[in-house]
Amino acid sequence: MSNFAKYDQSNLNRDLFGLTLDPNGTTTLQTQLIEALRGIITSTPGHAGTRLPASRALATELSVSRTTVQVAYDQLISEGYLVSRRGSGTFVAENVSHLTSPLQRQPTQRPRVSQWRPFQTGIPDPSLLPHAQWAQHLERAWTKPEPDLLGRADPCGWYPLRAAISDHLAAWRHLTCDPEQVLITSGARESLEIIFSGLFAPSQTVAIEDPCWPRTREVLEATGAVPHSVPIDADGLNPEGFPDRSAAVIVTPSRHYPTGRSLPLPRRVTLLDWAKRTGGLIIEDDYDSEFRYQGHPLPSFAGLDGLQNTIYLGSFSKLISPALRIGYLVLPRHHLPQARVFLERTGPCASLIPQPALATFMSSGDYAIHLRRIRRIYAQRQAHLLSCLLPLPDLLEINPDPAGMHLCLPLKPKLSDRVSDRHISQQARDAGLSVAALSSHSTQPDPPQALLLGYAAFDEDRLTAASETLIKILRDIA
């Protein structure tokens, strides 16, 4: 052995025999020894090829069992740090430069999920969900699950949930349908994909409201449909603006998003006549329909039509949580075979886990109680927001809304002559608010100017503070 080899051997023995293991530590002696050996090997390249002490000798020096040392050697051999040579012993591997000691994870705090910014639209207050009751429904469903829950999932969704939705629509939306006509989806986006990828041929023209939900155009184009924007008037969508040969129209009749207008009965009749005359399909997105604070919810379009020329879209994201990702479609019977074929090919996107709990949550009456409670609270929050905005009658058109989760407040000339709603939206964003601009939902050359203020997800203290900030922004601009 050369002097250099003897020097390296001596240094390695010094490092090894100088180790201290703590029998009362938070990790086992084996783990401590493995980490210590790995650290010595990776920190000193000169140890490559050096022989380690026999397991019995190192065990005696460290006052541990021989098994502890043997297990540590075996682990590092399997990781490539050591090699074993029959009859010669255990050696540090020659090529360990590419190996590094695994980084030790330092305890870190879980990052906080950022809260919704006032006045973000389209989000409920998740704290209002009766969590104890919801947890009981989940536990009841999965502690001893029904055999069908453990088998191959129906691509159309859990049948008891489809039945519960059918009952709910009959009672609350004057829409009579069988459970077989209800398809469970992961939300509005998948619902539109099923319709325009599964029921329609590509390149069909679809009339859409302007302004509207910005994702509508995106989803249609992704499925190969051709969206055609039709500006709404004071009474909402007018079929006279539809392009020739329109195959379908997407409409939010109960409460137009984002302006909040309701489609009056004469316009609904006109739209139904258009569908019967042309064979076009009406796709009713029943946005915010159940959050009505004056009188009863308006009858659904599909209910008036008897599900002849209408498809109905609904969702639970506004009533329970956006994280639930459960929505549904109600289809005319003649479209069911095509839809099932499409879903069997693509597979269900909605998680099965919450569906049995949601079914019993609805059928037990807990869902209806929850809905009535949050309607009352959201109505109070709208009234509070309106009171907070009383100092702005010269800048915004401020009127109560009989339904919904947000207010659409048009800019008055004193403000619109100086600045756009998008500029105000940016100023609000810089101040920590989320104030959507109505013009960002439109493709018109001269889009309408208004601010969208969501209130459902925020308690009165947050609404008060946010309103004060918004008032200051608008006064500084004006």
Side-chain angles (χ1 to χ4, degrees):
M1 181 181 293
S2 68
N3 289 335
F4 288 113
K6 291 178 180 178
Y7 180 76
D8 291 336
Q9 183 73 62
S10 175
N11 284 344
L12 179 59
N13 288 342
R14 177 202 63 202
D15 293 341
L16 293 175
F17 294 141
L19 291 177
T20 300
L21 305 180
D22 182 5
N24 298 317
T26 57
T27 58
T28 65
L29 293 174
Q30 289 176 0
T31 300
Q32 294 179 49
L33 181 56
I34 290 169
E35 293 176 352
L37 290 174
R38 192 189 289 119
I40 291 172
I41 294 168
T42 56
S43 64
T44 310
H47 290 332
T50 305
R51 184 178 182 276
L52 274 72
S55 59
R56 189 185 303 277
L58 185 58
T60 300
E61 289 292 333
L62 299 179
S63 300
V64 297
S65 71
R66 185 185 179 192
T67 301
T68 297
V69 178
Q70 287 176 325
V71 169
Y73 280 7
D74 290 343
Q75 177 64 32
L76 294 176
I77 289 172
S78 67
E79 293 179 9
Y81 292 98
L82 302 178
V83 294
S84 178
R85 299 173 188 167
R86 184 179 294 276
S88 299
T90 303
F91 297 80
V92 177
E94 294 286 351
N95 298 309
V96 293
S97 59
H98 65 293
L99 300 175
T100 58
S101 180
L103 295 175
Q104 298 300 308
R105 289 187 60 185
Q106 298 298 321
T108 57
Q109 289 185 341
R110 183 175 64 181
R112 289 188 61 187
V113 178
S114 60
Q115 289 183 315
W116 302 112
R117 288 183 170 193
F119 299 93
Q120 189 154 345
T121 63
I123 52 173
D125 186 343
S127 69
L128 299 179
L129 180 70
H131 293 93
Q133 292 175 332
W134 175 247
Q136 289 172 358
H137 288 287
L138 277 171
E139 182 180 15
R140 200 173 296 126
W142 290 101
T143 298
K144 190 176 180 181
E146 296 184 32
D148 288 347
L149 282 173
L150 305 178
R152 182 175 181 271
D154 186 336
C156 295
W158 179 240
Y159 190 86
L161 176 57
R162 297 161 67 190
I165 292 172
S166 175
D167 292 341
H168 172 77
L169 293 175
W172 290 74
R173 305 299 296 119
H174 302 281
L175 172 55
T176 301
C177 62
D178 292 330
E180 289 79 5
Q181 294 176 267
V182 180
L183 310 182
I184 306 302
T185 72
S186 59
R189 186 183 188 101
E190 189 198 356
S191 294
L192 292 175
E193 289 173 348
I194 292 171
I195 295 169
F196 292 104
S197 293
L199 308 182
F200 279 75
S203 303
Q204 299 273 21
T205 300
V206 181
I208 61 175
E209 299 164 319
D210 190 322
C212 70
W213 182 46
R215 294 282 180 87
T216 302
R217 177 177 293 274
E218 172 188 322
V219 175
L220 291 176
E221 291 175 343
T223 60
V226 180
H228 181 92
S229 296
V230 179
I232 66 170
D233 57 26
D235 289 330
L237 189 66
N238 190 341
E240 292 181 2
F242 292 2
D244 294 338
R245 299 180 182 177
S246 294
V249 56
I250 301 175
V251 62
T252 52
S254 293
R255 187 171 187 273
H256 172 257
Y257 182 84
T259 66
R261 300 172 188 166
S262 297
L263 201 65
L265 184 59
R267 189 60 62 84
R268 294 181 182 222
V269 172
T270 302
L271 197 51
L272 289 173
D273 288 343
W274 167 85
K276 292 177 182 178
R277 185 180 70 256
T278 65
L281 192 63
I282 299 171
I283 299 162
E284 177 182 12
D285 183 357
D286 209 19
Y287 184 85
D288 274 3
S289 65
E290 291 165 317
F291 296 113
R292 191 160 187 85
Y293 312 126
Q294 298 175 14
H296 295 286
L298 300 176
S300 68
F301 220 123
L304 292 174
D305 175 55
L307 279 173
Q308 297 299 310
N309 302 292
T310 305
I311 292 178
Y312 181 94
L313 276 68
S315 172
F316 295 99
S317 63
K318 307 293 189 301
L319 289 159
I320 298 179
S321 168
L324 190 66
R325 306 302 303 162
I326 298 290
Y328 54 93
L329 275 175
V330 185
L331 295 177
R333 291 189 177 279
H334 57 276
H335 285 303
L336 291 175
Q338 289 173 277
R340 176 170 280 277
V341 168
F342 178 80
L343 286 169
E344 286 177 345
R345 185 171 72 249
T346 60
C349 294
S351 171
L352 181 62
I353 299 298
Q355 292 186 41
L358 185 53
T360 57
F361 187 56
M362 296 182 74
S363 61
S364 68
D366 289 341
Y367 179 83
I369 294 171
H370 171 59
L371 174 55
R372 285 192 288 268
R373 175 172 175 257
I374 59 176
R375 269 204 314 207
R376 183 175 65 254
I377 293 173
Y378 290 173
Q380 292 169 352
R381 290 180 178 180
Q382 184 195 118
H384 181 77
L385 176 57
L386 288 168
S387 68
C388 291
L389 298 176
L390 286 177
L392 297 174
D394 57 327
L395 302 182
L396 300 174
E397 293 182 21
I398 303 172
N399 295 299
D401 195 324
M405 300 168 67
H406 74 272
L407 294 172
C408 179
L409 307 179
L411 275 57
K412 285 192 172 180
K414 184 177 180 180
L415 195 57
S416 61
D417 289 346
R418 297 179 60 86
V419 70
S420 70
D421 58 359
R422 295 196 188 204
H423 178 78
I424 297 173
S425 176
Q426 182 59 57
Q427 293 275 10
R429 186 179 301 113
D430 295 341
L433 304 179
S434 178
V435 177
L438 178 61
S439 64
S440 65
H441 295 66
S442 174
T443 60
Q444 301 176 43
D446 186 18
Q449 300 285 306
L451 303 181
L452 308 181
L453 305 184
Y455 53 81
F458 312 104
D459 61 28
E460 293 186 0
D461 288 342
R462 293 194 72 190
L463 290 173
T464 299
S467 297
E468 291 172 352
T469 302
L470 180 60
I471 290 170
K472 184 177 185 305
I473 291 171
L474 297 181
R475 286 298 175 200
D476 289 344
I477 292 173

